[in-house]
Amino acid sequence: MPLDIHATFTFEFDEPGDALLQFQVAELPSQRILSQNLELTDEAASTRVSAHDGIGTRIWVSSTGRFETTYRAKVETQRTAVELATLPQLAMRSITGEAAQYLFDSRYCSVGPFQNFVEAEFSGTSGGARIAAIASWLTDNMQYEPGTSGEQTTATDSFVARQGVCRDYAHVLIALARASQIPARYVACYGPDVSPQDFHAVAEVFLADPDHPEHEAWHLVDATGMAKPSELAIIGVGRDAADVSFLTTFGPARFLSSKVEVKRI
């Protein structure tokens, strides 16, 4: 599915400062970048570095005053739909070193508080069936409410409040999956049906590969139900939102505005 992506955002430093940006679509086998164009206020003051797990690119910028970025891309996603509930759970000894890090606590996703809950609520399920049950529980028990959470909101906070935005849905699903001994990571992405249009966040879980059962694979899960995994353009991945923020500033700064438009071509 080809997508047309247009993203802009603006921030401002009162004094010389640095920022780490991540908003460009990643080069992956499951998505092909047909074209892209990036405009920065000061291209000369930027440096590109590899992002978490080597997926995607981050950009260091140094600036004073107002900084604007504009990104346009045409991307063709090349993923096939997967029947998540049919995928078996992996034996712990089959989990790779790369994936094992996604079983542990991270800044926004603590595992311990959810272990008793998942065993009581989802007893009798495992693997993809457990993830499908978790996603259904989120649909039934959480409300999508913009403005009800912030950058300090954790998975535990969202679970208690039963509300949040895509970031919060992804964090709760990740925490519940990890409490079920299923590696799960946070995915920043673009999606055509996200409403209101913005940078989007989903989860990715590590289960068997349906085409090669003897191997493992990462599978996208959108707990908000707004986007089809086959139509998501991935920006990057991380343990939670802290690893893949589109803007992280170092020094006093103000975020001024952002706009995201994603359309099917």
Side-chain angles (χ1 to χ4, degrees):
M1 169 61 68
L3 301 176
D4 184 21
I5 298 166
H6 181 200
T8 64
F9 57 93
T10 306
F11 57 98
E12 187 174 49
F13 286 109
D14 291 329
E15 55 190 52
D18 298 285
L20 188 59
L21 316 178
Q22 188 173 0
F23 56 89
Q24 292 179 265
V25 173
E27 293 273 7
L28 293 170
S30 60
Q31 55 192 37
R32 186 163 64 99
I33 299 173
L34 305 176
S35 66
Q36 62 178 339
N37 181 66
L38 173 62
E39 297 177 9
L40 302 174
T41 295
D42 186 359
E43 180 73 30
S46 66
T47 304
R48 285 160 174 77
V49 295
S50 180
H52 197 86
D53 281 359
I55 295 176
T57 302
R58 291 176 173 143
I59 304 174
W60 278 112
V61 298
S62 298
S63 181
T64 304
R66 186 183 179 94
F67 195 96
E68 298 180 2
T69 179
T70 299
Y71 176 63
R72 293 181 180 272
K74 288 182 171 58
V75 181
E76 183 176 20
T77 59
Q78 300 172 317
R79 294 181 205 91
T80 57
V82 173
E83 189 63 41
L84 194 67
T86 66
L87 302 179
Q89 183 141 349
L90 299 172
M92 297 296 278
R93 64 181 181 277
S94 298
I95 295 174
T96 65
E98 174 203 5
Q101 65 176 309
Y102 298 109
L103 288 167
F104 305 136
D105 287 353
S106 58
R107 177 175 175 180
Y108 294 112
C109 301
S110 294
V111 177
F114 297 102
Q115 289 177 331
N116 290 336
F117 174 79
V118 294
E119 290 310 313
E121 184 71 25
F122 309 114
S123 177
T125 65
S126 64
R130 171 68 63 94
I131 298 300
I134 291 171
S136 294
W137 185 91
L138 287 166
T139 298
D140 294 340
N141 292 276
M142 282 189 67
Q143 295 293 320
Y144 191 92
E145 295 287 349
T148 58
S149 61
E151 63 179 19
Q152 301 303 320
T153 303
T154 67
T156 304
D157 297 332
S158 301
F159 179 83
V160 171
R162 296 290 202 268
Q163 61 185 6
V165 293
C166 59
R167 169 190 183 276
D168 308 304
Y169 275 69
H171 281 161
V172 176
L173 190 146
I174 288 167
L176 295 177
R178 291 176 185 171
S180 303
Q181 293 82 54
I182 298 171
R185 64 188 183 186
Y186 185 96
V187 180
C189 56
Y190 295 104
D193 294 324
V194 175
S195 180
Q197 284 271 282
D198 204 343
F199 295 101
H200 195 41
V202 301
E204 204 169 31
V205 294
F206 196 64
L207 295 166
D209 184 335
D211 297 323
H212 306 282
E214 69 279 10
H215 297 130
E216 310 83 25
W218 287 103
H219 303 280
L220 293 166
V221 186
D222 186 356
T224 70
M226 287 194 291
K228 298 177 181 177
S230 60
E231 293 185 328
L232 292 171
I234 294 173
I235 298 169
V237 305
R239 293 163 296 181
D240 54 34
D243 285 339
V244 68
S245 171
F246 74 91
L247 170 64
T248 304
T249 57
F250 299 84
R254 288 185 301 279
F255 179 71
L256 300 179
S257 65
S258 70
K259 184 178 181 180
V260 175
E261 295 178 345
V262 184
K263 300 177 181 178
R264 297 180 182 87
I265 300 174

